[in-house]
Amino acid sequence: GGNKASDESTRFAWLRELVNEVRRQSDPIEFVNAVKEDLFLKEVLVFSPGGDLYALPRGSSVLDFAFKVHSDLGYHCAGAKVNGKMVSLKHQIKNGDMIEILESIHQTPKREWLQYVRTSKAKNRIRAWLKRRQREHSIVVGKEMINRGLKEYNPRGDDAAARKEYSRKLDHVLTTFKLKDEKHLFTALGYGQISIKNVMTEVFGAAAIATRGHSHSINKKEK
């Protein structure tokens, strides 16, 4: 860990010197393209509109650049301008490019973005965001499944009594399915890792589940 940090510090100290040199040039793009250090065989050096210099692997896209600058900029990257011209998110950057990222709070990562990026930071951030959103969605789905289950499976048709019984049996349910808390129960249901019938069996008992539909839910037609 320490050596890597030291190597990066040394390399970026050299890059800072390069930035200062670039800023003294009348034509910085020509200067950058003229530098033939080995670094440029593996990486591209690009600029933010403010003149900050960023090094990225060759083949990186403007989306990689956005995540390099800041994760939030990547998450909400709606487009980009390279050297003043509009480009797509998959546009590959080149040495000396000046990149301006266009943000929108309505823009969020999509699965196809994984095909547009090369850097591990961008890939990891996109995957983590998608996984988080999927988990949030599964919690909503799981919670709704519990609410429906309490109506459909409870033997007396009394919603308040069913919810009270569920609250009383919750710890037992979590222990049975080896789950940490209620949120993990919702998640497991939403992902389909456990079935609502099995959960309701632990809440109301197998006998009550077996007679489901004969008392109160006979009027509920399945759509």
Side-chain angles (χ1 to χ4, degrees), residues 37-55:
E37 295 287 343
D38 179 58
L39 173 67
F40 293 91
L41 299 177
K42 294 178 286 187
E43 295 185 300
V44 291
L45 294 186
V46 296
F47 299 90
S48 71
D52 294 317
L53 184 68
Y54 292 88

Side-chain angles (χ1 to χ4, degrees), residues 41-85:
L41 299 177
K42 294 178 286 187
E43 295 185 300
V44 291
L45 294 186
V46 296
F47 299 90
S48 71
D52 294 317
L53 184 68
Y54 292 88
L56 288 102
R58 196 168 282 279
S60 294
S61 67
V62 292
L63 196 51
D64 284 298
F65 172 79
F67 277 101
K68 176 84 172 180
V69 176
H70 197 281
S71 294
D72 284 340
L73 191 63
Y75 293 143
H76 303 298
C77 177
K81 286 183 180 179
V82 173
N83 306 322
K85 294 181 180 177

Side-chain angles (χ1 to χ4, degrees), residues 152-216:
E152 293 178 9
Y153 285 93
N154 83 80
R156 291 182 297 279
D158 182 339
D159 289 352
R163 190 153 292 282
K164 192 172 180 180
E165 185 69 4
Y166 166 73
S167 296
R168 195 172 71 82
K169 292 281 186 69
L170 182 57
D171 283 344
H172 165 71
V173 170
L174 297 177
T175 302
T176 300
F177 294 104
K178 298 181 173 63
L179 296 167
K180 184 179 173 185
D181 52 31
E182 189 179 33
K183 193 175 277 189
H184 283 76
L185 173 62
F186 295 154
T187 305
L189 282 165
Y191 276 133
Q193 293 165 342
I194 58 177
S195 76
I196 188 64
K197 184 176 181 180
N198 287 345
V199 172
M200 291 297 114
T201 298
E202 297 303 325
V203 174
F204 297 122
I209 301 305
T211 60
R212 173 200 170 217
H214 292 295
S215 56
H216 66 283

